[in-house]
Amino acid sequence: MAGQQQWLGDIALSHFRSHKLLNQPLDGRPVAIFGPNGAGKTNILEAVSLLSPGRGLRRATADDLSRKPEALGWKVSATLNSPHRTHEIAMRAEAGASRVVTIDEKTAPQVALGRIAQILWLVPAMDRLWIEGAGERRRFLDRITLSFQPNHAEAVLSYDKAMRERNRLLKDHVRDAHWYLALEGQMAKSGAEIHRNRIDALSLLAKAQSNAKTAFPAADLTLIEGEENIGFDEASLREVLANNRPNDLRAGRTLVGPHRSDVAALFAAKGIDARQCSTGEQKALLISLILSNARALATLNDAPPIILLDEVAAHLDDNRRAALYDEITAIGAQAFMTGTGVELFAEMKGRAQALYVSESGGLSETKEVDL
Ligand SMILES: Nc1ncnc2c1ncn2[C@@H]1O[C@H](COP(=O)(O)OP(=O)(O)O)[C@@H](O)[C@H]1O
Ligand SMILES: [Mg+2]
């Protein structure tokens, strides 16, 4: 199939949640996954999401992923094709141990996955994104940012590590400035990088939205840096952290910095904040953002990312659903999409592979069928 694409040539699961063994060849077209509730559809998407940095689309622990009752550990592996290379990538965990990533059979840090594949997702838990806490929105923004800038993962890790150490000092009521300087220096450096990456990502996204022919409503995203009117460049951050030490000592944690940023969305055509939009509109905004992210990546990397759309089709009317399929086809992405009924994917006939997933006695079974 299309050479200019990132796509999985196969996916293999071993003792992963309800899947004892799955070995599915893929041809690069979108993949329609259907079957009853609890069959193991989302589990397949979750497995694919683990082939990118982080804890996957449910943010599960390694133990949660291990097939019960055996709890022997698990493995997800895939052949990843991108325009110029092919890699064998895998993530696994032995029972009770943490995850191990391998790329071409060599152990690699998780962040290395972000350099060879971009995987975007939309799952039902994100339906409440605009009305829930800032943490989820920040994570959403950081996944978009990571897709554009693989180094973002390291910046976040190094910022978080320094902040944890600073928070320990604060909790222990350490007042001596010299304990703080190196940590705050690290936070300022990584924090400024995090901030720049986020701003760049938002501008790439905005550009992709303004150029797109799409049936989905554009969302204007703005980064919210916190109540204080402070700059997030390295020098300002260093100063802000030092100045805020007395407050932070009282709170026992760091109260300012990019770990507190939030993102607001505006339904652009109506000028209405996403929080005030209907549930259906909020979903449409998210689909729009995922598609824009994919379009921007296709331009930037000459290859669209892999997209995971969990239970998206069921929530769209016939027109919007047809539009979604046409847009995915136009982007050329290998989109893994789930839904309960095969009829949800009728429009994709000839344009997608179809997998029927069923479950009996706690074991998922997958077979390839015609749409
Ligand atoms: N670690 C595990 N071991 C065995 N089964 C699991 C594990 N985690 C989840 N499951 C089972 O997987 C099923 C849910 O699969 P999921 O992919 O979410 O279903 P759906 O097809 O509705 O998307 C449930 O039946 C659940 O009990
Ligand atoms: Mg599901």
Side-chain angles (χ1 to χ4, degrees):
M1 161 86 211
Q4 291 304 99
Q5 189 192 26
Q6 284 183 356
W7 59 287
L8 302 184
D10 55 49
I11 174 98
L13 311 185
S14 170
H15 286 83
F16 182 84
R17 292 206 186 263
S18 55
H19 298 267
K20 195 162 195 167
L21 195 67
L22 168 66
N23 209 326
Q24 180 62 49
L26 301 167
D27 63 16
R29 290 179 298 167
V31 185
I33 302 172
F34 68 100
N37 290 326
K41 304 179 296 294
T42 303
N43 293 344
I44 297 179
L45 263 53
E46 183 180 32
V48 176
S49 74
L50 289 168
L51 301 172
S52 67
R55 286 165 58 176
L57 56 75
R58 285 187 176 112
R59 298 215 315 279
T61 63
D63 273 348
D64 287 340
L65 301 171
S66 198
R67 218 197 100 70
K68 310 294 183 307
E70 307 92 296
L72 296 171
W74 51 272
K75 183 173 181 184
V76 176
S77 55
T79 305
L80 173 76
N81 300 296
S82 46
H84 310 292
R85 293 154 310 189
T86 295
H87 291 291
E88 294 298 327
I89 58 181
M91 166 107 61
R92 66 180 152 84
E94 308 298 331
S98 49
R99 296 156 217 243
V100 177
V101 172
T102 58
I103 299 175
D104 298 323
E105 284 166 13
K106 285 198 274 294
T107 306
Q110 263 200 42
V111 292
L113 290 170
R115 298 209 170 80
I116 59 174
Q118 280 72 48
I119 303 179
L120 313 179
W121 59 75
L122 190 54
V123 300
M126 287 156 65
D127 288 356
R128 299 177 55 77
L129 188 77
W130 304 117
I131 44 185
E132 278 179 350
E136 289 301 316
R137 283 187 293 279
R138 210 159 41 232
R139 236 185 300 278
F140 177 67
L141 172 62
D142 280 332
R143 286 213 56 85
I144 295 174
T145 306
L146 174 74
S147 77
F148 292 123
Q149 177 50 269
N151 294 338
H152 192 61
E154 274 120 334
V156 170
L157 288 175
S158 115
Y159 181 87
D160 285 350
K161 181 164 178 282
M163 184 172 71
R164 272 197 306 277
E165 290 179 35
R166 184 177 185 269
N167 286 349
R168 205 171 305 136
L169 295 179
L170 294 167
K171 265 205 194 80
D172 292 345
H173 305 289
V174 175
R175 285 166 194 283
D176 192 343
H178 88 269
W179 286 97
Y180 287 91
L181 292 178
L183 293 174
E184 288 171 3
Q186 186 56 52
M187 286 175 73
K189 183 166 177 286
S190 308
E193 189 182 340
I194 290 170
H195 187 66
R196 272 197 315 276
N197 291 342
R198 286 173 175 165
I199 301 266
D200 291 349
L202 290 182
S203 104
L204 287 166
L205 206 56
K207 204 163 109 203
Q209 287 199 103
S210 70
N211 294 335
K213 283 201 191 64
T214 173
F216 295 91
D220 285 344
L221 299 190
T222 350
L223 193 60
I224 304 169
E225 283 143 34
E227 289 118 73
E228 289 86 340
N229 199 10
I230 48 174
F232 276 1
D233 60 280
E234 185 172 345
S236 312
L237 262 177
R238 195 190 299 262
E239 199 185 310
V240 160
L241 286 166
N243 291 343
N244 215 53
R245 248 179 253 146
N247 279 336
D248 290 353
L249 273 162
R250 272 191 296 278
R253 67 200 161 91
T254 306
L255 296 175
V256 289
H259 65 289
R260 307 268 290 190
S261 295
D262 194 355
V263 57
L266 201 67
F267 190 122
K270 294 190 177 181
I272 291 177
D273 193 292
R275 282 173 302 182
Q276 262 80 56
C277 289
S278 74
T279 318
E281 285 173 333
Q282 291 180 3
K283 187 100 181 178
L285 289 174
L286 285 173
I287 296 174
S288 163
L289 286 167
I290 291 285
L291 293 174
S292 298
N293 191 357
R295 289 189 184 96
L297 284 170
T299 311
L300 204 67
N301 301 342
D302 282 333
I306 291 167
I307 306 177
L308 311 176
L309 299 175
D310 195 19
E311 301 288 344
V312 168
H315 296 277
L316 299 174
D317 60 39
D318 293 353
N319 288 335
R320 277 273 174 83
R321 188 154 63 230
L324 174 66
Y325 294 159
D326 288 346
E327 293 184 29
I328 283 172
T329 307
I331 291 169
Q334 186 181 42
F336 292 77
M337 302 176 285
T338 66
T340 48
V342 67
E343 70 284 349
L344 289 170
F345 301 106
E347 288 268 351
M348 284 301 272
K349 190 174 169 59
R351 297 190 284 173
Q353 268 181 288
L355 304 178
Y356 173 65
V357 186
S358 58
E359 176 272 333
S360 79
L363 270 185
S364 289
E365 204 177 311
T366 303
K367 71 169 192 263
E368 189 165 359
V369 294
D370 286 329
L371 270 182

